Every structure is written in C-alpha cells, then in structure tokens.
C-alpha cells in the first residue's frame, strides 16, 4: 500500500506542499500559497503550507487536516482510500477530483485491486 496516495487518489509524494515541507523550502511555500490562493479564491499564507501527506502521520495543511470532506469521510469509514468504498462511483465528493484526474482514479483502482 502506497501511503503517499491520498484518500481521493491524488499523489501526495509529488504535491508541492509536501515537497516544500520535507525540503523546508520557504520559497516553494510562498509559491504554493500564492498559486492556491488564486485557485481557491481565499487567502492562503506560506505558513499554512506544511504537510507530509494526507494519510501520513504528521503535519497537514489546514484544508487537508480539518476541511477536506473526502478525507474526513474516508477516515470516518476507516477506509484506506476511497477506492475501497462501495459508493465511490456515485460519490459527489470524490468525483469532483476524479472527473478531472484520470490518474487519481487509476491510483484508487490500483490500490483497491479493482
């Protein structure tokens, strides 16, 4: 089981927030904060860009830690990823990610053996 695969199938191993955290790279944190602020229409500061991965023990971005409904749902159901959920195909939460990211869907299927 690859623990860098997030509950939704995104690859935390290549996430710029994780890379900034493990490299302690403040320039990358600033770049990510600006990019994510623009994408999400909210202010995200460089101090918020600290994460070791969605399913890994340790620090998370505020969104990933407490606001991600996908992560909260999968944890509540005690699932390794959404790929193990019988309702994944009809789930509006995870399908917001999967409809635009075929790699995430493939990773979830690979992880769960589907």
């Amino acid at each position: 089981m690859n623990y860098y695969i997030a509950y939704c199938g995104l690859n935390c191993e290549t996430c710029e927030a994780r890379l900034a955290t493990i490299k302690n790279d403040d320039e990358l944190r600033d770049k990510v904060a600006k990019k994510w602020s623009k994408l999400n229409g909210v202010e995200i500061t460089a101090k918020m860009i600290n994460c070791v991965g969605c399913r890994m023990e340790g620090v998370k971005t505020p969104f990933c830690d407490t606001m991600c409904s996908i992560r909260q749902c999968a944890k509540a159901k005690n699932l390794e990823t959404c790929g193990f959920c019988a309702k994944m195909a009809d789930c509006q939460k995870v399908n917001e990610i999967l409809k635009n990211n075929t790699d995430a869907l493939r990773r979830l299927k690979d992880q769960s053996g589907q």
Side-chain angles (χ1 to χ4, degrees):
M1 175 65 59
N2 182 343
Y3 288 98
Y4 290 110
I5 304 305
Y7 292 103
C8 65
L10 293 177
N11 186 353
C12 294
E13 196 164 19
T14 60
C15 175
E16 289 180 312
R18 181 182 172 279
L19 295 173
T21 302
I22 63 171
K23 294 177 181 179
N24 197 25
D25 185 336
D26 288 336
E27 281 185 42
L28 183 54
R29 281 187 179 100
D30 189 54
K31 175 186 164 194
V32 172
K34 287 177 183 171
K35 181 168 130 182
W36 288 8
S37 292
K38 186 176 181 179
L39 283 171
N40 295 292
V42 296
E43 184 181 353
I44 297 172
T45 66
K47 288 183 180 184
M48 295 175 176
I49 306 300
N50 286 293
C51 190
V52 294
C54 177
R55 297 188 310 128
M56 305 293 287
E57 288 295 322
V59 67
K60 312 272 181 280
T61 65
F63 177 81
C64 293
D65 190 33
T66 60
M67 295 184 279
C68 177
S69 61
I70 296 169
R71 183 173 185 267
Q72 299 306 317
C73 180
K75 285 182 69 167
K77 292 179 178 179
N78 202 29
L79 298 172
E80 290 187 47
T81 68
C82 293
F84 291 90
C85 183
K87 298 178 182 179
M88 182 181 82
D90 298 318
C91 179
Q92 290 180 335
K93 293 174 193 170
V94 77
N95 279 304
E96 284 300 310
I97 301 288
L98 301 179
K99 71 181 180 186
N100 297 314
N101 194 320
T102 56
D103 287 338
L105 177 59
R106 179 190 46 77
R107 283 189 285 273
L108 290 177
K109 287 182 176 184
D110 288 351
Q111 291 261 302
S112 65
Q114 291 185 29

